[in-house]
Amino acid sequence: MKTSGTAHPRTNWKTSAALVLAILVLLALAALAAPQYRSVIYILSGERTPRDFGGGSGGRPSRDAQCDTGFVAVGFHVQTGEFYNEAWLDCAPMRSDGSLGEERRLTGRTGSRGGNETHDARCSSGRVLRGLRGRTGASIDEAAGICSPIQDIAERPNNASTEMTEPVTRPRPGGRPAEALCPPGAVLTGFRSMSGENIDHLWILCSELQRSY
């Protein structure tokens, strides 16, 4: 009797199944080895945390200067005479990818009316305020903004790259070094003050950057 050269059907089925299984295992290993790319979505918390910049103990509470919901501070303005009289912020909308929209909105003013000169301090393009650095004594003598990219603040909260705005200095300044920095992972979204004839004491208001995927 002649023996056929064709493989047994059961042998073909086992070979095919083993090949399919091997391919699936290789695909699974490749998926595990490949970098996992996920889109990061940035969300701005509605809560605001104060941080003390300094100043004297006089004055009374003035209304806060706050960015609108979803907006972050990209600069500030101060009206001065002999002292800081009023301060307010430039705010920009934060997109979900961490970039900034083109629109700009001014907050209300905190402090007391007065002064005759307006000074501007703005972050460079793409950066936002995350604190102030300057000098304070019985009032505010000097303040400059600390600016960083949103992605740096969110991804490297303790090591974000920074640059300073132009300082706003009152005539004949004195005081001692002062700094107010938002908590790691947060951005500046407001000012708070105690004021009488001028701003006696100043706080920054900070909002946390939250990440989602």
Side-chain angles (χ1 to χ4, degrees):
M1 178 184 294
K2 285 187 178 181
T3 303
S4 172
T6 305
H8 195 282
R10 182 173 295 179
T11 302
N12 284 342
W13 180 86
K14 287 182 178 180
T15 301
S16 299
L19 182 60
V20 170
L21 182 60
I23 292 172
L24 291 175
V25 169
L26 287 173
L27 289 174
L29 290 174
L32 289 173
Q36 300 298 306
Y37 295 103
R38 294 182 293 175
S39 297
V40 179
I41 297 173
Y42 296 96
I43 302 167
L44 189 65
S45 170
E47 296 183 9
R48 302 179 200 253
T49 303
R51 285 291 186 269
D52 189 3
F53 181 59
S57 57
R60 58 189 178 276
S62 179
R63 71 171 184 171
D64 292 346
Q66 295 187 8
C67 295
D68 292 339
T69 301
F71 281 65
V72 296
V74 295
F76 67 96
H77 311 275
V78 179
Q79 190 155 315
T80 66
E82 186 177 355
F83 300 96
Y84 272 44
N85 289 90
E86 294 181 296
W88 62 103
L89 294 157
D90 271 333
C91 304
M94 187 188 79
R95 300 188 180 111
S96 60
D97 63 357
S99 63
L100 299 173
E102 296 299 323
E103 182 184 359
R104 297 292 180 267
R105 293 184 188 176
L106 293 174
T107 66
R109 302 184 179 201
T110 190
S112 300
R113 290 188 178 183
N116 49 28
E117 290 188 42
T118 300
H119 307 268
D120 307 316
R122 295 186 177 92
C123 297
S124 63
S125 179
R127 293 177 182 254
V128 301
L129 286 169
R130 56 191 291 259
L132 294 178
R133 184 177 297 155
R135 302 184 69 85
T136 64
S139 62
I140 312 303
D141 291 85
E142 182 180 82
I146 304 171
C147 306
S148 296
I150 286 177
Q151 291 87 348
D152 272 16
I153 296 171
E155 303 289 341
R156 302 190 298 161
N158 295 309
N159 193 32
S161 63
T162 61
E163 67 176 32
M164 304 299 297
T165 68
E166 289 293 319
V168 177
T169 308
R170 77 172 183 87
R172 298 177 297 279
R176 57 189 178 276
E179 183 177 86
L181 201 60
C182 287
V187 295
L188 200 154
T189 57
F191 282 156
R192 176 172 294 167
S193 73
M194 295 281 285
S195 63
E197 294 182 359
N198 48 73
I199 294 178
D200 293 278
H201 208 104
L202 185 66
W203 291 261
I204 62 172
L205 302 177
C206 304
S207 300
E208 183 184 5
L209 285 170
Q210 300 170 345
R211 293 187 301 164
S212 184
Y213 296 94

